[in-house]
Amino acid sequence: MMGIANASSPEVFVLLGFSARPSLEPILFIIALGFYVVSILDNGIIILVSCMDVHLHTPMYFFLANLSFLDISFTTSIVPQLLVNLWGPQKTISSVGCMVQFYISHWLGATECVLLAVMSYDRYAAICRPLHYTVIMHPQLCLSLAFASWLGGLTTSIVGSTLTMLLPLCGNNRIDHFFCEMPLIMQLACVDTSLNEVEMYVASFIFVVLPLGLILVSYGHIAWAVMKIRSAEGRRKAFNTCSSHVAVVTLFYGSIIFMYLQPAKSNSHEKGKFIALFYTVVTPMLNPLIYTLRNKDVKKALRHIASENCCGFAGSLGHIRDVSNL
């Protein structure tokens, strides 16, 4: 009896990852490390600029700062362990580490779905209701929407991940991926997982399908409103207002669709690993670049902060020289 109990709870999990292609692992290590560092810096800059520049204290940049913090947290929950596994022959992760990883990744993934829908509603209010925008998107509503996004993601993660954690695995501990993901843990179970699958489908509908539907409805209204704008300049401004968010939504949902709507074949699973790698490593780095490269306000704020810091540093040097000359 004791042996069965011990067998049902592996102390470590083996993350097979890209071990089938050992020659590729050093290259992936360098790529993942580079993208991870850039992602942390880029998203950190977005958060810093959004907080420091008073001109960016608007709903759009408040939600963008939330998205950047989410991206930092999500990529940090996966990439460090990925780098460890790519660096050497050791491909294991502790059961506690695996549990923490799929709790956090599930939480942040669900939160991002809701947060992107909230950001699309913000763009809808800005373009379709410009005269009432400040009344609609008041600070209390923005805080409530952001809080609801994080709390909703946490709630579904606690429910789904806990149900998965309670499944007996009967010693199965080999995960054919580079991180611990809830559906993959469920595949290791040696009991019926129908309840878990129902919960996962319901959660997917609530936190993936519904937010995507709200995004499409919002941009349907936006497209209709833009078509009514007579001036080319007005249409261009409206397009620039939404283009960055559309690009981020396309990257996010495009990755999800390719990851989870593939036929169950071995070669498709291998492709899924690389798509998941893109989603966890590349996308968090691209999000802030998309917003900064296409957004004049962010670039202006960056220049303003940089010039202030340079002037302050030059003033400090001048003061030091004046004191030394006395």
Side-chain angles (χ1 to χ4, degrees):
M1 190 72 178
M2 183 65 70
I4 296 174
N6 290 337
S8 65
S9 303
E11 294 183 0
V12 296
F13 288 91
V14 179
L15 297 174
L16 298 178
F18 302 96
S19 56
R21 307 184 183 191
S23 60
L24 193 61
E25 289 188 330
I27 300 172
L28 292 178
F29 176 87
I30 295 172
I31 293 173
L33 178 61
F35 277 97
Y36 178 61
V37 171
V38 175
S39 176
I40 297 297
L41 292 175
D42 286 351
N43 284 290
I45 289 172
I46 289 290
I47 296 172
L48 185 67
V49 169
S50 299
C51 293
M52 291 182 63
D53 195 296
V54 294
H55 299 98
L56 300 184
H57 291 176
T58 63
M60 176 180 173
Y61 295 104
F62 169 72
F63 294 127
L64 179 57
N66 272 266
L67 181 63
S68 292
F69 179 72
L70 189 151
D71 281 339
I72 289 175
S73 304
F74 179 77
T75 192
T76 300
S77 71
I78 294 175
V79 175
Q81 182 65 47
L82 169 64
L83 293 174
V84 170
N85 291 350
L86 288 174
W87 180 253
Q90 194 76 7
K91 308 294 181 187
T92 59
I93 182 174
S94 67
S95 59
V96 174
C98 187
M99 179 182 69
V100 169
Q101 195 174 74
F102 72 71
Y103 263 99
I104 293 177
S105 61
H106 189 188
W107 172 23
L108 298 178
T111 300
E112 184 162 357
C113 290
V114 181
L115 188 60
L116 289 174
V118 169
M119 294 174 74
S120 70
Y121 176 73
D122 172 65
R123 295 300 84 207
Y124 159 79
I127 293 175
C128 300
R129 302 290 181 87
L131 298 179
H132 302 93
Y133 178 70
T134 54
V135 177
I136 296 173
M137 300 303 295
H138 53 84
Q140 290 81 5
L141 178 63
C142 293
L143 286 171
S144 298
L145 290 173
F147 180 75
S149 301
W150 288 93
L151 181 62
L154 178 61
T155 302
T156 188
S157 175
I158 290 175
V159 174
S161 299
T162 301
L163 287 175
T164 304
M165 187 182 66
L166 294 175
L167 290 171
L169 305 183
C170 301
N172 298 327
N173 70 338
R174 295 171 68 84
I175 300 174
D176 192 11
H177 216 298
F178 61 85
F179 70 101
C180 294
E181 196 178 24
M182 196 170 71
L184 298 175
I185 301 294
M186 288 168 54
Q187 291 177 10
L188 301 180
C190 54
V191 295
D192 181 49
T193 60
S194 299
L195 176 63
N196 301 74
E197 291 172 10
V198 169
E199 187 280 330
M200 187 174 67
Y201 290 137
V202 171
S204 298
F205 178 78
I206 295 173
F207 288 93
V208 178
V209 178
L210 280 184
L212 179 58
L214 291 173
I215 291 171
L216 294 176
V217 169
S218 295
Y219 277 103
H221 285 287
I222 289 171
W224 182 253
V226 170
M227 288 172 63
K228 291 182 179 180
I229 299 175
R230 295 182 179 180
S231 67
E233 180 66 18
R235 287 195 294 270
R236 186 187 64 81
K237 287 182 178 180
F239 175 78
N240 288 338
T241 301
C242 300
S243 58
S244 298
H245 183 253
V246 170
V248 170
V249 168
T250 303
L251 279 174
F252 179 77
Y253 277 100
S255 300
I256 289 178
I257 290 170
F258 276 107
M259 282 169 62
Y260 295 109
L261 297 182
Q262 293 190 85
K265 298 178 182 178
S266 58
N267 59 339
S268 296
H269 184 67
E270 286 299 312
K271 291 178 183 177
K273 290 182 186 179
F274 287 98
I275 295 168
L277 186 66
F278 177 85
Y279 168 68
T280 56
V281 176
V282 181
T283 302
M285 185 213 67
L286 290 179
N287 288 350
L289 289 179
I290 290 169
Y291 277 101
T292 54
L293 289 176
R294 299 187 62 85
N295 195 300
K296 294 180 181 179
D297 292 335
V298 175
K299 289 188 282 189
K300 183 178 178 181
L302 283 171
R303 287 194 296 266
H304 178 68
I305 293 172
S307 63
E308 275 191 345
N309 290 336
C310 289
C311 291
F313 181 68
S316 299
L317 290 178
H319 179 70
I320 292 172
R321 284 196 297 268
D322 292 341
V323 171
S324 63
N325 291 333
L326 291 178

